[in-house]
Every structure is written in structure tokens, then in C-alpha cells.
């Protein structure tokens, strides 16, 4: 518990400094990334779970910073929701995937009701329709429910919507095209990285190469 508390203190200090000194954001972002990689992120507390709809958890705040989500708009989200269900094919697949999302994880379902996940995914599908002609994203794709569910577990609904849209539209646009180009490329990169990391065990002379990863 003491280690967890100290780790939380480190994260809070980085996030506080970045908010108070916008001109230091690049340096603080580098520190944040390094801390995530070397020490991980503290577990979500029961208290955070209870008030996640009112306040971002520490893990959620870290996600927003790493993805570059600086502002959210409740009005924007409400206006998208007013359009109702997503186009038929999207809404049909969303309906099928909702019940499959972390099906046996009661802790998740205590925090994220099915209706909340459905609203965010249907709203997201509308944003894809808005970008028609500007994006190759194929609309709602099976598997998005898991990513969105994770964000809803650590963020209020409005924040989760904007963070999910940012993740898909700006960070993973090639992962959800019809031919899964980004997914195949990402898998290839991971396999190469895994090969380079394990290579020094057999050839110590290339240890310096793996240290760069």
C-alpha cells in the first residue's frame, strides 16, 4: 500500500505540474510515459469506481493526457445522442457485442451498465458517418466495445466518448479499416520487437540494440 501511495503521488505531481505550467507539457509528457513504462499505473480504488461518473479516475486522467484529450464537450455528446441509434448495420453489431463485453466480470458491470456502453458506441458510429469521405474507418467494428468499455470503467461518460473518438479517429485509424491494415502492421512490429528483445539471450553482442526498444 505504501508503494501504491507513493506511485500515485508521482503521477499526481506530474499531472499537477503539467496543468500549472503549460510550457512544460512536453517534458512532463515524457516523464509520464517513462513512469507508465517502468512502474505501471496504480490499481483503481473502490472509491474511484463509486464516483467514476462524477470524476475521472487517476488512470482515466493518464489516458486522456497520453492521448492528447485536453477538453470535452457535454453539449457535443448530447447533440450526437439526439440522433438516436447508429445506422442499422452498426447498431445491430453493437447490440450483439454489448452483452459480450467482459461478460463474466461483475466488477466491470457494477461500474459500466450496458446502456452506457451502448450510448457511447452508437454516438461514436455517428461521428464516423460525419467523417465519410475523410476517413477510411469502416464504422463500428467488432472489438471496439472492449476498448470503449475499458475507458468507461475509468472515465465519466462524456469524457469516455471524447477519449474513445480521439483514440480511434486520431491514433488508430488504420486499425479499423475493412482490410485491417493497421492491425497487420502492428502485429508485425510487435513480433519484430519480441524477436529483438529475446535475441541477446543467444547473441549478447546485440544487447545494445534491444536496449533501444
Amino acid at each position: 500500500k505504501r508503494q501504491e501511495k507513493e506511485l500515485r503521488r508521482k503521477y499526481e505531481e506530474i499531472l499537477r505540474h503539467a496543468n500549472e505550467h503549460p510550457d512544460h507539457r512536453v517534458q512532463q509528457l515524457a516523464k509520464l510515459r517513462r513512469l507508465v513504462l517502468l512502474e505501471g499505473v496504480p490499481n483503481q480504488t473502490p472509491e474511484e469506481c463509486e464516483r467514476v461518473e462524477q470524476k475521472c479516475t487517476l488512470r482515466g486522467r493518464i489516458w486522456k493526457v497520453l492521448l492528447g484529450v485536453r477538453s470535452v464537450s457535454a453539449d457535443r455528446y448530447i447533440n450526437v445522442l439526439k440522433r438516436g441509434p447508429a445506422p442499422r448495420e452498426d447498431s445491430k453489431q453493437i447490440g450483439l457485442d454489448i452483452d459480450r463485453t467482459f461478460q463474466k466480470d461483475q466488477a466491470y458491470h457494477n461500474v459500466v451498465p450496458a446502456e452506457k456502453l451502448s450510448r457511447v458506441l452508437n454516438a461514436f458510429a455517428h461521428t464516423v458517418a460525419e467523417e465519410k469521405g475523410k476517413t477510411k474507418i469502416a464504422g463500428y467494428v467488432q472489438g471496439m466495445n472492449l476498448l470503449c468499455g475499458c475507458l468507461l470503467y475509468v472515465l465519466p461518460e462524456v469524457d469516455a466518448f471524447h477519449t474513445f473518438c480521439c483514440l480511434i479517429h486520431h491514433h488508430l485509424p488504420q486499425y479499423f479499416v475493412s482490410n485491417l491494415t493497421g492491425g497487420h502492421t502492428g502485429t508485425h512490429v510487435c513480433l519484430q520487437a519480441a524477436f529483438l528483445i529475446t535475441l541477446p539471450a543467444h547473441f549478447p553482442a546485440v544487447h545494445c540494440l534491444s536496449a533501444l526498444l
Side-chain angles (χ1 to χ4, degrees), residues 8 13 26 29 41 52 62 71 90 92 96 104 118-119 124 128 132 136-137 144 154 157 188:
R8 281 182 170 273
E13 175 62 23
V26 173
L29 181 58
V41 180
V52 70
I62 292 169
S71 62
D90 285 336
K92 180 181 178 181
L96 292 173
K104 298 181 180 179
S118 178
R119 284 194 298 270
F124 166 77
V128 176
K132 192 172 183 180
K136 294 182 179 179
I137 298 172
M144 287 183 176
V154 299
E157 188 170 336
H188 181 66

Side-chain angles (χ1 to χ4, degrees), residues 4-20:
E4 189 101 344
K5 188 175 181 180
E6 175 59 19
L7 184 57
R8 281 182 170 273
R9 187 197 64 76
K10 290 180 183 179
Y11 276 110
E12 292 290 355
E13 175 62 23
I14 291 173
L15 296 173
R16 181 192 62 77
H17 190 91
N19 281 333
E20 294 179 358

Side-chain angles (χ1 to χ4, degrees), residues 118-137:
S118 178
R119 284 194 298 270
V120 175
L121 291 176
N122 276 278
F124 166 77
H126 281 301
T127 70
V128 176
E130 288 176 352
E131 296 292 317
K132 192 172 183 180
K134 302 177 185 177
T135 180
K136 294 182 179 179
I137 298 172

Side-chain angles (χ1 to χ4, degrees), residues 6 10 22 26 40 49 77 79 83 90 98 101 108 117 125 128 173 177-178 184 189 205:
E6 175 59 19
K10 290 180 183 179
V26 173
C49 289
Y77 182 50
N79 286 334
R83 300 177 195 172
D90 285 336
I98 293 293
T101 308
Y108 165 81
L117 179 58
V128 176
V177 295
S178 57
H184 293 307
V189 170

